[in-house]
């Protein structure tokens, strides 16, 4: 096991050293600083008819792999190609995690896709904007009227300042197709058997939870072994104590707010309390996310705080027994909950067919497209109420989304905040839930991460 | 593992006598090795000197990433967890493996080949599969808890991977299960080489199974013990798949390990510089520990 003969060892080390010197004298990792981002973007571009652009192969990378999403995008791609026979779409589809891991490598290369789905978070879109790797779509927004088509609160999730310091305002770097909302699922039969009512205020919700516990039921279901699911419980709860304006600042990593004020402390203490009193059962941190909602469909727990994306699968088991509500109104009396858009479609700065790509993004986000998405069982980001199915949990989800996005605030996912916040928050919420660290300590970590990023 | 017997050789030809000729034979293999191992290694070492998200421009920070690691709670936790895992991956399998091998060797078990295969099986299965299987076993309503309930030990049931005190040992036990077979097989092979005369002589002198073990078996398999320790310690320190699949380093930072930190920093946090620094530290750590183990193993020989 040892390199006994001394001469061989010195030879290897020597050679390694030579190789090393050669490498170290080579250039630094990465590229030079971005050479002036897409030269002084014009305020509007002339609307070019895609059919006049000549023969084009449009390379699209997406992560719409789940049943209904895949069907919708396939239908849209076909419709686009039928309308513009000169444009051929070359689609490459893979899971969210895989795409996310590849995008950062792909964008820095020279052979980039024309359209790619990029996660809105600062860790992804924010970093790419900062590196000058995404096309500012503002001129196209003017041309195609995207600002009239989309509510401001939805577009704000894809806006960054050109230097990426501000998130929520500034240039436009992508356009979403679908919506998402985090709310509370429940089983009507279960509520009836326990003599509980559907809560309309946070205080009522707390009472129902206590009543459920008193009757020997597990009040809520959470599978948090992956760390991020707790964000979908804490996010909505936070709005009971903290004003939506402050949550938006915190969640988008913009300066001017604090994690350590009293309101946030109350929210985190309440969350810790739920953990300590076993409101999520004996071991939420040891339970798998999918196992948790599966257990819920089989009768474990009374309420399931979770995202709209769970609706279809749970409905398949529970049928009409399953219901969904947006969380009760926030501290200011208006609705507010974690939610937002599906992964937006963006155009890399080095894309070869920018005009065709913009036309494509326009095409897949029109009212007709939204209809097609809904018909295929998806959850369109626009016209949600009108396109809602006639009954079932999907109808309730569509309506809740519409109500919150029109009248209230769709709060950003907390992991949008800073490049490392998904890590910080996931870890901290696990520790609070398991009672390993105090709410104050964890909020201190959140604050440190946020302050370091915003540079306050 | 040195060959002590040396024959007198005939005089080699002039070409073979040439000073650099042996190196020429090494060259092709070395080039491949350099391209796929040394070059990436040096690049990683170089990256560790930069603040770089993995794309776009980078900033030279010298040893800054390493200095940051000194006060990094997550990194220090990861290192301490890796050291604890050595107990589960190396020390425990060595003790159990020694006992098992000694018994198997002495007892002339029927169907030895079958047992060898079964015990070695974990080594053959992809680690991700192992991890998924154990993930199910440790689940709150998984096999382990159901088994505990069935024998009336309800108080012991818990979400093993979600409990800050038990998550790391739980991951460690999977490592123990994985490595014991390998260690035992290595030791069995080593024991197979011990001439039976030695044992006969010992028995004539009135030695029992225990003194036989300490006087003959143990000293004879020192080389195998060293090998087993080196292999299992490397496995312990570079644990990644198990942690990635079962706990993602959680709850909190209870099960994070250096390899997981490398992945997390490079791909989730986009801190490629810091990730490389962790990787370099891990490489140095693996190297140092194994040099020490090898030295100790050789000295006693």
């Amino acid at each position: 096991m040892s390199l006994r003969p001394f001469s061989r060892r010195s030879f290897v080390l020597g050679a390694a050293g030579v190789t090393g010197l050669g490498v170290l004298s080579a250039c630094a990792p990465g590229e030079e600083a971005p050479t002036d981002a897409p030269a002084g973007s014009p305020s509007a571009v002339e609307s070019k008819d895609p059919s006049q652009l000549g023969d084009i192969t449009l390379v699209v990378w997406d992560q719409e792999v789940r049943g209904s999403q895949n069907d919708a995008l396939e239908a849209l791609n076909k419709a686009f190609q039928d309308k513009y026979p000169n444009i051929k779409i070359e689609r490459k589809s893979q899971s969210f995690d895989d795409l996310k891991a590849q995008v950062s490598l792909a964008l820095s290369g020279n052979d980039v896709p024309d359209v790619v789905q990029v996660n809105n978070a600062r860790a992804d879109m924010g970093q790419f904007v900062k590196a000058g790797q995404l096309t500012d779509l503002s001129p196209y927004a003017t041309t195609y009227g995207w600002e009239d088509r989309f509510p401001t609160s939805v577009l704000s999730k894809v806006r960054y300042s050109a230097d990426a310091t501000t998130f929520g305002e500034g240039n436009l770097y992508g356009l979403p197709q679908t919506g998402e909302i985090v709310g509370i699922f429940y089983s009507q039969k279960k509520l009836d058997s326990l003599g509980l009512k559907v809560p309309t205020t946070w205080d009522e919700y707390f009472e129902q939870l206590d009543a459920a516990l008193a009757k020997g039921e597990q009040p809520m279901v959470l599978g948090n072994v992956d760390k991020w699911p707790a964000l979908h419980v804490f996010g909505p709860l936070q709005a009971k104590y903290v004003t939506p304006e402050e949550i938006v600042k915190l969640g988008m990593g913009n300066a001017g707010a604090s994690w350590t004020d009293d309101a946030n402390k109350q929210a985190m203490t309440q969350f810790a309390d739920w953990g300590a009193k076993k409101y999520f059962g004996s071991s939420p941190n040891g339970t798998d996310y999918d196992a948790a909602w599966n257990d819920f469909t089989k009768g474990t727990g009374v309420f399931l705080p979770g995202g709209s994306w769970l609706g279809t699968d749970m409905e398949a088991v529970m049928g009409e027994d399953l219901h969904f509500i947006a969380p009760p109104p926030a501290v200011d009396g208006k609705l507010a909950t974690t939610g937002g858009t599906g992964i937006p479609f963006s155009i890399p700065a080095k894309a070869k067919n920018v005009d065709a790509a913009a036309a494509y993004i326009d095409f897949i986000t029109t009212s007709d497209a939204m209809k097609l998405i809904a018909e295929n069982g998806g959850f369109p980001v626009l016209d949600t109420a009108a396109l809602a199915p006639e009954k079932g949990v999907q109808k309730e989800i569509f309506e809740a989304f519409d109500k919150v996005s029109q009248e209230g605030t769709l709060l950003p996912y907390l992991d949008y905040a800073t490049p490392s916040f998904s890590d910080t928050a996931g870890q901290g919420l696990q520790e609070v839930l398991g009672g390993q660290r105090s709410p104050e300590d964890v909020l201190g970590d959140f604050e440190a991460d946020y302050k370091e990023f915003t540079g306050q | 593992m040195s060959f002590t017997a040396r024959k007198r050789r005939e005089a080699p030809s002039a070409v073979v006598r040439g000073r650099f000729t042996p190196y020429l034979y090494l060259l092709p293999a070395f080039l491949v090795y350099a391209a796929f191992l040394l070059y990436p290694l040096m690049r990683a070492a170089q990256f560790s000197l930069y603040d770089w998200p993995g794309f776009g421009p980078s900033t030279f920070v010298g040893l800054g990433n390493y200095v940051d690691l000194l006060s990094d709670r997550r990194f220090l936790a990861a290192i301490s967890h890796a050291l604890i895992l050595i107990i589960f991956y190396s020390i425990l399998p060595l003790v159990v493996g020694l006992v098992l091998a000694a018994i198997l060797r002495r007892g002339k078990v029927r169907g030895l080949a079958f047992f060898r295969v079964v015990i070695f099986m974990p080594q053959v299965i992809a680690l991700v599969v192992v991890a998924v299987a154990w993930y199910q076993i440790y689940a709150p309503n998984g096999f382990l808890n159901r088994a505990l309930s069935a024998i009336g030990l309800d108080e012991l049931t818990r979400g093993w991977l979600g409990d800050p005190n038990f998550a790391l040992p739980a991951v460690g036990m999977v490592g123990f299960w994985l490595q014991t077979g390998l260690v035992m097989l290595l030791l069995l092979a080593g024991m197979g080489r011990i001439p039976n005369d030695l044992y006969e002589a010992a028995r004539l002198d009135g030695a029992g199974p225990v003194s036989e073990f300490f006087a003959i078996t143990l000293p004879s398999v020192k080389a195998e013990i060293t090998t087993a320790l080196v292999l299992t310690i490397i496995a312990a320190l570079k644990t990644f798949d198990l942690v990635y699949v079962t706990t993602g380093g959680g709850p909190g930072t209870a099960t994070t390990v250096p390899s997981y930190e490398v992945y997390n920093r490079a791909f989730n946090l986009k801190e490629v510089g810091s990730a490389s620094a962790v990787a370099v530290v891990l490489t140095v750590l693996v190297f140092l520990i194994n040099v020490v183990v090898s030295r100790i193993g050789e000295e006693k020989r």
Side-chain angles (χ1 to χ4, degrees):
Chain A
M1 281 292 135
S2 66
L3 300 162
R4 235 311 114 74
F6 185 71
S7 59
R8 185 188 299 173
R9 181 187 295 178
S10 65
F11 169 72
V12 170
L13 290 181
V18 171
T19 322
L21 276 180
V23 169
L24 289 173
S25 61
C27 60
E31 311 164 340
E32 300 289 298
T35 46
D36 328 300
S41 309
S43 60
V45 284
E46 231 176 284
S47 175
K48 283 183 195 150
D49 184 357
S51 62
Q52 302 304 313
L53 291 171
D55 285 340
I56 286 176
T57 300
L58 198 67
V59 182
V60 179
W61 286 10
D62 67 76
Q63 50 89 50
E64 308 291 331
V65 287
R66 268 163 270 150
S68 56
Q69 298 170 333
N70 183 48
D71 293 347
L73 199 63
E74 262 179 18
L76 284 169
N77 284 351
K78 190 177 171 300
F80 185 76
Q81 290 178 98
D82 287 348
K83 193 172 175 194
Y84 305 111
N86 58 317
I87 299 178
K88 186 175 162 277
I89 292 172
E90 193 182 301
R91 180 177 177 212
K92 190 180 157 200
S93 193
Q94 53 191 328
S95 79
F96 171 64
D97 287 334
D98 290 345
L99 181 64
K100 196 169 130 169
Q102 277 197 1
V103 165
S104 57
L105 297 172
L107 286 183
S108 50
N110 283 320
D111 193 17
V112 296
D114 295 302
V115 178
V116 61
Q117 279 187 288
V118 175
N119 190 25
N120 330 34
R122 280 197 183 264
D124 301 291
M125 189 178 272
Q127 300 252 34
F128 303 143
V129 168
K130 197 169 155 197
Q133 291 175 336
L134 293 178
T135 304
D136 170 21
L137 302 179
S138 310
Y140 294 102
T142 316
T143 308
Y144 290 110
W146 290 341
E147 272 155 24
D148 301 327
R149 187 185 296 170
F150 283 85
T152 315
S153 73
V154 171
L155 281 193
S156 73
K157 305 281 194 303
V158 276
R159 286 191 189 280
Y160 280 92
S161 60
D163 58 357
T165 50
T166 309
F167 180 14
E169 289 165 31
N171 299 341
L172 191 72
Y173 289 101
L175 216 52
Q177 227 192 346
T178 53
E180 287 174 0
I181 180 174
V182 176
I184 301 169
F185 288 98
Y186 63 91
S187 143
Q188 186 64 53
K189 281 184 206 151
K190 190 95 172 198
L191 287 197
D192 292 346
S193 72
L194 292 168
L196 302 178
K197 280 185 306 196
V198 181
T200 54
T201 66
W202 279 104
D203 288 332
E204 274 178 37
Y205 183 56
F206 288 0
E207 282 165 25
Q208 312 286 29
L209 296 176
D210 294 342
L213 193 69
K215 286 176 182 161
E217 283 280 350
Q218 180 182 320
M220 283 180 285
V221 175
L222 171 65
N224 194 37
V225 79
D226 296 314
K227 300 185 182 175
W228 53 262
L231 269 69
H232 300 165
V233 179
F234 180 74
L237 174 67
Q238 193 185 10
K240 179 194 189 295
Y241 303 94
V242 187
T243 62
E245 295 79 47
E246 187 176 351
I247 298 179
V248 169
K249 274 186 200 154
L250 289 170
M252 297 189 114
N254 293 327
S258 167
W259 274 107
T260 45
D261 61 12
D262 279 342
N264 274 302
K265 218 169 277 172
Q266 282 174 7
M268 191 60 84
T269 307
Q270 177 64 56
F271 186 68
D273 201 42
W274 279 349
K277 292 183 181 157
K278 309 283 177 212
Y279 273 52
F280 303 103
S282 61
S283 179
N285 283 339
T287 307
D288 182 56
Y289 184 71
D290 290 319
W293 67 255
N294 265 303
D295 287 347
F296 180 75
T297 62
K298 289 174 198 146
T300 300
V302 180
F303 296 101
L304 171 72
S308 51
W309 52 88
L310 292 175
T312 325
D313 288 334
M314 292 207 295
E315 193 181 25
V317 187
M318 298 171 70
E320 288 180 17
D321 185 31
L322 180 70
H323 293 274
F324 180 89
I325 52 168
V331 63
D332 63 355
K334 289 186 192 158
L335 287 172
T337 184
T338 310
T341 68
I343 313 293
F345 288 77
S346 301
I347 304 179
K350 290 181 191 160
K352 289 181 198 74
N353 306 300
V354 181
D355 288 334
Y360 173 79
I361 291 178
D362 178 63
F363 187 85
I364 60 171
T365 53
T366 58
S367 298
D368 288 344
M370 295 299 152
K371 226 167 115 188
L372 208 74
I373 293 168
E375 277 165 14
N376 280 288
F379 183 5
V381 69
L382 301 176
D383 311 331
T384 321
L387 296 171
E390 276 169 28
K391 59 185 174 71
V393 75
Q394 292 295 345
K395 175 179 154 62
E396 293 166 5
I397 291 173
F398 278 45
E399 285 170 355
F401 179 82
D402 194 63
K403 211 158 178 213
V404 176
S405 63
Q406 300 294 333
E407 298 167 22
T409 315
L410 281 175
L411 302 173
Y413 290 96
L414 294 175
D415 58 338
Y416 282 4
T418 78
S420 53
F421 211 77
S422 141
D423 207 45
T424 307
Q427 180 189 318
L429 290 178
Q430 249 186 358
E431 289 172 328
V432 165
L433 202 55
Q436 290 158 265
R437 300 184 80 216
S438 71
E440 287 79 11
D441 286 351
V442 167
L443 285 174
D445 288 353
F446 285 20
E447 181 79 351
D449 187 320
Y450 170 74
K451 283 274 152 72
E452 191 193 328
F453 182 76
T454 53
Q456 284 171 330
Chain B
M1 261 178 270
S2 57
F3 296 96
T4 40
R6 292 231 169 102
K7 270 199 303 179
R8 269 189 72 83
R9 285 182 252 162
E10 291 166 29
S13 76
V15 177
V16 176
R17 265 201 323 265
R19 221 185 129 200
F20 296 102
T21 313
Y23 297 124
L24 273 177
Y25 284 102
L26 284 174
L27 195 63
F30 176 75
L31 285 181
V32 173
Y33 180 75
F36 290 100
L37 204 125
L38 295 179
Y39 175 71
L41 195 65
M42 297 318 286
R43 279 294 266 186
Q46 186 203 4
F47 288 175
S48 72
L49 305 177
Y50 287 82
D51 184 11
W52 187 46
F55 50 84
S58 56
T59 324
F60 185 79
V61 291
L63 294 176
N65 286 325
Y66 293 94
V67 174
D68 289 346
L69 288 185
L70 292 177
S71 59
D72 189 323
R73 184 167 80 99
R74 276 193 77 130
F75 171 74
L76 297 176
I79 292 285
S80 69
H81 297 154
L83 296 178
I84 292 172
L85 283 184
I86 291 181
I87 299 174
F88 287 95
Y89 273 69
S90 304
I91 312 295
L92 284 180
L94 185 64
V95 173
V96 174
L98 262 175
V99 173
L100 279 179
I103 292 172
L104 282 179
R105 194 215 161 263
R106 209 185 139 78
K108 300 277 180 278
V109 180
R110 214 185 281 174
L112 188 59
F114 172 75
F115 287 112
R116 281 187 189 180
V117 169
V118 168
I119 293 175
F120 195 68
M121 197 81 94
Q123 286 288 321
V124 188
I125 307 172
L127 261 180
V128 176
V129 178
V130 169
V132 170
W134 280 89
Y135 185 76
Q136 308 285 355
I137 291 173
Y138 284 137
N141 55 3
F143 172 77
L144 182 56
N145 282 335
R146 284 207 306 271
L148 285 173
S149 298
I151 54 172
L153 292 173
D154 280 289
E155 282 140 45
L156 293 184
T157 62
R158 63 193 74 234
W160 295 92
L161 297 171
D163 186 312
N165 300 318
F166 286 90
L168 188 63
V171 171
M173 283 314 288
V174 183
F176 168 69
W177 177 79
L178 270 173
Q179 302 297 340
T180 305
L182 172 77
V183 173
M184 193 199 81
L185 216 64
L186 274 171
L187 295 174
L188 256 183
M191 289 176 192
R193 285 183 311 138
I194 306 172
N196 261 325
D197 321 7
L198 281 179
Y199 289 104
E200 275 162 26
R203 264 174 231 152
L204 285 179
D205 287 345
V210 176
S211 43
E212 215 179 276
F213 175 77
F214 283 106
I216 300 171
T217 315
L218 197 57
S220 307
V221 293
K222 240 174 211 149
E224 282 76 13
I225 290 178
T226 310
T227 308
L229 277 180
V230 168
L231 287 178
T232 52
I233 287 176
I234 291 176
L237 291 176
K238 70 188 185 80
T239 305
F240 171 77
D241 334 37
L242 266 186
V243 167
Y244 176 76
V245 174
T246 54
T247 64
T253 55
T255 57
T256 181
V257 288
S259 296
Y260 183 78
E261 280 301 300
V262 174
Y263 161 80
N264 194 36
R265 282 161 205 248
F267 293 99
N268 288 340
L269 303 181
K270 298 200 170 64
E271 293 170 2
V272 173
S274 179
S276 303
V278 176
V280 169
V281 171
L282 179 61
T283 309
V284 170
L285 195 67
V286 168
F287 194 75
L288 285 182
I289 291 184
N290 282 310
V291 165
V292 171
V293 170
S294 301
R295 276 284 143 81
I296 294 173
E298 276 167 17
E299 269 166 21
K300 284 189 186 162
R301 211 180 288 168

